[in-house]
Every structure is written in structure tokens, then in C-alpha cells.
Amino acid sequence: MTEPKIRIQNLYKIFGAKPQSVLKEVEQGMSKQELLEKHNHVLGLKDINIDIPAQGVSVIMGLSGSGKSTLIRHINRLIEPTAGKMIVDNEDVLAMNKQQLMEFRRHKASMVFQKFGLHVHRTVSENAAYGLIIQGTPVNEAKQQSQKWVERVGLAGFEDHYPSQLSGGMQQRVGLARALATDAEILLMDEAFSALDPLIRTDMQDVMLGLQEELHKTIVFITHDLDEALRIGDTIAILRDGAVIQQGDPQEIIMNPADDYIVDFIQDINRGRVLKVKTMMSRGHSVTGPNIPATMSLEEALPLVSASDYKVGNVVDESNDVLGSITLDQVIAGLVRPEVTTNPESRYR
Amino acid sequence: MDFLTEFPEMGRQDLRDLKKSIDAGFREFSREFGQALETFFEPLLRFLVWLETLLLATPWPIILIVVGTLAWLGSRSLKIVIGSVLSFVAIGYFGMWEDTMSTLAIVSVATLVCFVLGIPLGILMARSDRAQTIVTPVLDIMQTIPAFVYLIPVVMLLGIGKVPGLIAVCIYAIPPIVRLTNLGIRLVEKEALEAADAFGASYRQRLFGVQIPLALPNIFAGVNQTIMMSLSMVVIASMIGVAGLGVPVLRSISNQYLALGLMNGLAIVALAIIFDRVSQSYGERLQKHRSGGHHD
Ligand SMILES: Nc1ncnc2c1ncn2[C@@H]1O[C@H](COP(=O)(O)OP(=O)(O)OP(=O)(O)O)[C@@H](O)[C@H]1O
Ligand SMILES: [Mg+2]
């Protein structure tokens, strides 16, 4: 494994008048509720440990108030932690002085916001060029350099419009262009598409995935929408009340949810579309049956397996080497939802 | 039961002594520093005199053209341009031209002074809550204390003349520009600022690139109010030797000249309306980009 791009270690954030004074108790396991009642402090994040690999899309997911925004703002230190470490490219972000931090934000990590965060007094092209202008590039040059990104996000022709003249989806395209224009390796996206209508949201996901295919940025993507997480995430971490309760490969999380919270989370997804053949197969010898790519969804594999003579198929990788096999029963097992053991009105809501 | 009907006052003699010693102290102070203060304000006085002389020396048709042009640049409205020019024509026709020029001079200089001092002060207040808690009550006092009361120390320090008049006008007129600069900056959306921070903006880039541009409509409303308030101080300022439309008003009070007072009063009103309409429509154009079609 290569070195992770971003390492978050033992990160704590407590909001309130004297966070340090209650840190000990939180470290010893005091709950969010208790902390609020006893000390009138809000537990933002609790012992977060996440390694974020380079050049992938890492999704952080959780319900409203679980601490997602708080967490992502620690990466570029828009929020100071109460305790813990934030290492980016083997550099301690928390040890940086003002100047170094400014440089870090200008060149290393850029950000896309849920509410867009555009400057209403700047035109589309001025907004897109904002990061470059902040770096000290003359305005006209900055606009020229960012023009490419304005076009890439599909806003050619709108350069001289003001944000208030654009729809939400178009405004977020400006936000995306602004973040891409600085060529930062890290892209922090805080519920970037949550404010958009479902169709526009899918559109924007496509735009982003398309760009990612050639840019290979390290993307930290926050969402509360599991479908979105599954669609774009290479890895997923799930937050609840400020703590990570499960992280890893999306398929793994769906097959082995760590607790009821996650079971609830995943129960409404379309399992057939999300789960891949490789997740359900058994490794081993080839069988008599059709070849099925390992990355195919169960939904697509179902008719193939079902139509075969022995209700079984060979699972193959990209170069058509056989990895193992999958039976109709295995496909169907993947489609069955796990039992929800608590009632839907469970405590965390 | 004298105690309940008579308020337990400080002894008469003591009170007199107290007042005397304050007066003596201040007189001492003004003897000591009056001269220094006068020298300090000398450039301001020269600028004011220069502007007044310039306005008075300029042929009236040119002034009319300038007024019309400025009104057009500000408002882009023919109606306002015609209204402004006609007002000035009427002012001249009824023999108030020179007083009006003097008033214009002092109002312009006062506005400039308020602008130069008030905006940085407002920025400081927006930046620090501490500054805000200190400055706010001072502004409250400046706005509510009767003008005559602060005229006393000003006159004791600097005597009668244009500079004390100017200071009196500024004390009265500066609060709105300070308040609205502060308010405007504090009202700037958190999201816009956070974006600036996230892209590594420095304090100056944040202030001049985001906070001030977004606060501009409010700052502008402050400037507008400051102009209005300095116009309304013209009569009081003329009591301590400022030339302008206030002088004939004062004269008509003591001599019961109704027509004279009314005309000059109306001239002040006309100036106020012109300033207001022009600057308002300028302000509206300034924030045109905010009123686009879509909003979420
Ligand atoms: N400045 C603050 N002061 C006090 N508490 C805060 C502050 N910022 C966040 N919190 C608290 O921290 C918790 C996490 O907030 P955060 O905004 O990170 O949630 P989120 O997961 O991003 O939610 P959402 O989906 O609504 O954006 C919440 O309980 C919130 O009330
Ligand atoms: Mg959030």
C-alpha cells in the first residue's frame, strides 16, 4: 500500500467555552448527551482515525449533525481541533504557521461548499478565477487560465453572468470550476450536490466522475445520501454523533453493517444495482456456465445466471481469467435485505 | 420630613466649586493646547476656504452644468437631472446662490471628513467585538446629546469660526457612516467569507475583496445619511460663524422674517432631496448584480 495522502489521527473537537477542561472525560468515553447536560459543551468529533488514500474518492457519510462538516473543515484547518493530528503529505497541518497555512490552502487543497459560497459581486469567470487571484495572479491572466475550467464544467457563454442569474446547478458548476482552477491535488467537497434536485445532482456527479477519470485528484466527499456515496465513493466512512462507526469498502459495509444505524442507513438502497458479482461469488474452479465480469451488478448478472443450464456462472476479471463462480442462490442472497432489529424510530434519530 | 420632599443635594458651595474647577481645568487645557489644535486643523480650514472660494468664483452656468452632469452620472434619470438643475435655478433666482455655495462647501468637506474617519472606524468595530462595545455608546452619545452642549467646549477650544462649525457638523453626522459600515461588514454572508478563507485569502484580500464590496450597499446608505445629517446641522453651525444658508435662517428668527426663513429653509430641503435621490439611485445601480432572476 502507498502512503495515505491524508491521515487523520485521534482527532477530537469539542465546541464550548473550555473544551480542554472536558477533553479528559470525553476521551474516557463520555457521551455527547452527557457532555451537553453536565458541562454544556457540544461534542463535535470523537477520536477520528481515517487514512485517506491519494487519487481516490473517499466519502464521509452521516445524518445531519453527525459532524461531517466539522470533520472536513479540519483538513484545511478552517476549524481548529481540540486534540489530535492532521497529516497531509507527511506534513503536519496543525503545526503550520499562518503563512504556511495560507500557502497550503492556496495550492494544496481547494473546497466546494454545500451552499456554493460564491461571491455575488463577481461574475462567473471572476468567481472561477478567485483562487488564482488570491494567489496573486493578475485578474485578466487568472480569468484566462480558469476559462478552461469554466468550459469544462459546461458554463461556456455564461462568463459574464452574475451568480444570482444562474440556477443552483449552474452555481455549483461555478463552485467546482473555482476549486479546480487552482490545480490543487486535494478537493474537499462538503455536501457539494445536496442542495440540488435529484436529476441535476446525478448530472453533477457525472461531471465530477468524468473529470476525476483524467485528473485523479484526492477527493474527500461529504454526503448524507447513501446512493450518492455508493455511486462515487471508492471508500466510505460512516459518522454518527461525531464518531466513525464503520469505514472501508462500500460492498463490505453493505454486506456486513456494523450496527443498527448502518442497517437502517442501507435498507432502502437498491441492492441489486449496488452490489457487485465479486462480492457474492465463491473463489475457486471454473464451472460450466456463462462468463460474468466481476464488477457487474447483481441486477445485470441475475438474468445471465438464471438463463444458464446449471444456474451458475463463471466470474472473470478484465482479462477474462476465471476468479471463481456464482450461483443463482448467491445472487438472490445478495438481494435480500438484512433484518432491521430495532424499530425504525430508533434512538439516534 | 424635609428629607423626603427635598432631594438630598450636594451643598451649594461644593457644587459651585466643582463646576468652577471643571471650567478652570478646561480653560487651562484650552489655553495650553488651543493653539496646537488650531495649527492641527489649519490644512482642513484651508481646504474648506479653497473649496468655498472655488465654488463662488465659478460662473453659475458652469455650476449648473456640473450639477446636471453629476446628477446624471449618479442617477441616469432625466427627471432627477431636470429637477436638480431647476432647483438650483430657483435658488439663484431668489438670491440664495452664494449662501448655497458656502453650504455646499461645508457639507462636502464634512462628508469627506466623516468618510475618511468613519469607514476605518466602522471596519475596526466589525473586526473586534471589544471595539464595538466601546464605540457604540460613544456614537449613541454623539447622536443624542444636544448639539449646543458640545458646541460649548468646541468653541472654548477653537473660538468662533469655520473649523469649530465643521467639527460640530462632523460630530453630529459621523455616527451613521460608522454604524452602517460596521453593520454592513457584520452582515456579510458567512459562506462567502468561508470560501475566501478556504482559498487562502489574507486579511486584506478578505477585507477589500469580499467584506467591503459586499457591505457596499450598507456603507452607501451610511454616506447618504451622513450627508443628510450634515445638511440639517447647517443652521446650528451658522451660530458659531459658518457661512451659508443657516445665516439668513438665524437672522429671520430674531427679526421674524417669515419669507426669508422659509426660502432658505426650502433651499436646504432642496439640496437634501437632490443629494438623496441621486445617491439612492446610484446605490441601487451599485447592487444590481444581486437582483438577478434565480434565488434559492
Ligand atoms: N461552532 C459550533 N459551535 C457549537 N456547536 C457546533 C458548532 N459547529 C457545529 N456544532 C455542532 O457539532 C455537531 C456537528 O455539526 P456539523 O455541522 O459538522 O454536522 P453535519 O454532519 O455537517 O450536519 P449537516 O448534514 O446538517 O450539515 C452538531 O451537533 C452541531 O450542533
Ligand atoms: Mg454539514
Side-chain angles (χ1 to χ4, degrees), chain A residues 277-306:
Chain A
V277 166
K278 66 171 183 211
T279 310
M280 301 307 301
M281 72 176 190
S282 357
R283 302 212 155 256
H285 310 293
S286 66
V287 294
T288 319
N291 279 359
I292 299 170
T295 54
M296 187 180 255
S297 68
L298 294 184
E299 190 178 70
E300 292 166 300
L302 181 61
L304 300 180
V305 177
S306 155

Side-chain angles (χ1 to χ4, degrees), chain A residues 73 76 78 102 105-106 109-111 113 115-117 119-122 130-131 134 162 164-167 178-179, chain B residues 189 191-202 205-206 209-210 213-214 288-296:
Chain A
R73 277 165 179 68
N76 58 358
L78 285 174
M102 236 154 69
R105 290 176 182 168
R106 287 179 182 183
S110 58
M111 198 160 181
F113 301 87
K115 291 181 192 155
F116 317 142
H119 291 157
V120 296
H121 62 296
R122 295 176 204 273
Y130 184 69
I134 288 299
Y162 284 97
S164 60
Q165 300 168 310
L166 305 179
S167 70
R178 175 174 70 178
Chain B
E189 276 175 40
E191 283 80 19
L193 277 180
E194 191 175 45
D197 287 337
F199 282 91
S202 64
Q205 289 173 325
R206 210 168 177 262
V210 185
L214 290 177
K288 214 170 173 186
H289 55 78
R290 285 160 191 255
S291 51
H294 292 278
H295 272 289
D296 51 354

Side-chain angles (χ1 to χ4, degrees), chain B residues 42-230:
Chain B
E42 177 74 24
L44 202 59
L45 176 63
R46 261 199 243 146
F47 178 56
L48 177 54
V49 171
W50 172 79
L51 186 63
E52 198 176 340
T53 324
L54 178 74
L55 285 174
L56 285 169
T58 312
W60 61 266
I62 296 187
I63 299 271
L64 285 186
I65 292 171
V66 171
V67 166
T69 315
L70 288 179
W72 173 254
L73 290 179
S75 67
R76 295 289 151 87
S77 146
L78 211 56
K79 220 168 77 188
I80 292 179
V81 172
I82 292 171
S84 310
V85 173
L86 280 185
S87 305
F88 270 76
V89 167
I91 283 170
Y93 190 67
F94 289 111
M96 297 177 289
W97 187 265
E98 288 177 11
D99 283 340
T100 301
M101 290 305 119
S102 301
T103 293
L104 273 184
I106 189 153
V107 168
S108 312
V109 175
T111 304
L112 198 69
V113 170
C114 291
F115 190 86
V116 168
L117 297 179
I119 290 188
L121 191 58
I123 292 172
L124 180 73
M125 275 171 84
R127 190 185 185 183
S128 129
D129 287 338
R130 186 104 161 271
Q132 179 173 254
T133 45
I134 295 169
V135 176
T136 306
V138 175
L139 294 180
D140 291 341
I141 292 173
M142 285 163 78
Q143 275 186 305
T144 48
I145 198 168
F148 294 102
V149 176
Y150 57 77
L151 281 184
I152 302 164
V154 170
V155 170
M156 278 171 81
L157 270 175
L158 297 161
I160 297 265
K162 288 186 195 304
V163 169
L166 186 65
I167 292 175
V169 173
C170 286
I171 291 178
Y172 184 68
I174 203 173
I177 198 172
V178 179
R179 278 188 214 279
L180 283 161
T181 302
N182 174 36
L183 181 74
I185 292 179
R186 282 177 185 264
L187 286 182
V188 168
E189 276 175 40
K190 206 174 98 288
E191 283 80 19
L193 277 180
E194 191 175 45
D197 287 337
F199 282 91
S202 64
Y203 175 72
R204 300 179 123 250
Q205 289 173 325
R206 210 168 177 262
L207 180 66
F208 294 110
V210 185
Q211 288 176 308
I212 290 189
L214 290 177
L216 221 46
N218 273 312
I219 295 178
F220 207 76
V223 174
N224 183 40
Q225 281 193 33
T226 290
I227 296 175
M228 295 298 123
M229 289 177 75
S230 48

Side-chain angles (χ1 to χ4, degrees), chain A residues 1-13:
Chain A
M1 274 295 288
T2 50
E3 189 74 2
K5 184 88 173 166
I6 304 172
R7 323 183 67 150
I8 305 170
Q9 291 173 344
N10 306 106
L11 195 75
Y12 284 85
K13 177 65 188 180

Side-chain angles (χ1 to χ4, degrees), chain A residues 299-316:
Chain A
E299 190 178 70
E300 292 166 300
L302 181 61
L304 300 180
V305 177
S306 155
S308 68
D309 293 343
Y310 301 100
K311 308 291 182 216
V312 66
N314 280 313
V315 181
V316 297

